[in-house]
Amino acid sequence: MNQSNAGSPVEILLVEDNQNDAKLTRELLLEDRLQNNLVIVDDGVEALAYLRAMGEYRGRTLPDIILLDLNLPKKDGREVLAEIKTDSKLRHIPVIILTSSRAEEDILKAYNLNVSSYIIKPVNLDKFVRALRNIDGFWLNVVKVPAV
């Protein structure tokens, strides 16, 4: 893992099926930070294939952080989170739920599955930008996770 340290690249996996949200997230997370690497996949099956280095993802670099939407095609984010957190090779990776779901049952289930944080996507563009910058500021610049 390449957790952020003064100029070290951060490997980010974004699991998001909404192309507009994915594009905006890419722009904001990579703005002025060209050393970071962002991989975007748009469904839960592809996310797990990436994490497990299957098929076209053989030789990939394990992400330092995962931004995960809940409502995904093929395999939803709840299932993906459960598989990540029960896999000894993946469970150390911080997973941040970034979703529109305000359902208390989704929030509770995510934390019961050991999610690192649960962020509700603001509908307002300025608030969405602020939320992503807060993720960047805290998770990519402050937090230190084990190198495995």
Side-chain angles (χ1 to χ4, degrees):
M1 291 183 59
N2 301 319
Q3 189 61 24
S4 179
N5 283 329
S8 297
V10 175
E11 301 292 330
I12 306 164
L13 175 62
L14 172 63
V15 187
E16 173 61 69
D17 63 321
N18 180 308
Q19 296 303 313
N20 291 330
D21 286 353
K23 182 180 177 186
L24 181 58
T25 301
R26 173 186 289 285
E27 290 172 8
L28 291 170
L29 290 179
L30 298 181
E31 185 177 85
D32 300 326
R33 299 176 59 109
L34 297 176
Q35 74 274 16
N36 290 346
N37 299 311
L38 176 67
V39 173
I40 301 173
V41 297
D42 62 6
D43 67 65
V45 170
E46 190 176 2
L48 290 169
Y50 180 85
L51 290 167
R52 293 178 175 144
M54 298 169 54
E56 68 181 282
Y57 299 115
R58 289 191 195 287
R60 61 79 183 109
T61 301
L62 201 60
D64 294 306
I65 192 165
I66 301 167
L67 302 177
L68 177 65
D69 189 17
L70 284 184
N71 301 310
L72 298 167
K74 298 185 183 176
K75 185 174 280 213
D76 78 12
R78 296 157 198 84
E79 295 171 286
V80 173
L81 177 61
E83 289 194 40
I84 290 169
K85 293 305 179 179
T86 57
D87 186 319
S88 63
K89 295 177 182 166
L90 303 174
R91 67 175 158 228
H92 67 281
I93 302 171
V95 178
I96 299 170
I97 298 293
L98 187 58
T99 185
S100 58
S101 175
R102 297 177 176 277
E104 189 64 31
E105 67 186 76
D106 284 338
I107 297 167
L108 182 59
K109 183 171 185 172
Y111 280 107
N112 284 337
L113 290 170
N114 298 311
V115 74
S116 300
S117 60
Y118 190 104
I119 298 172
I120 298 169
K121 290 181 197 173
V123 178
N124 174 291
L125 179 61
D126 290 335
K127 289 181 180 178
F128 186 65
V129 168
R130 192 170 28 246
L132 286 175
R133 290 209 169 116
N134 286 334
I135 290 170
D136 177 54
F138 182 71
W139 285 102
L140 304 183
N141 292 308
V142 175
V143 173
K144 177 73 175 149
V145 297
V148 177

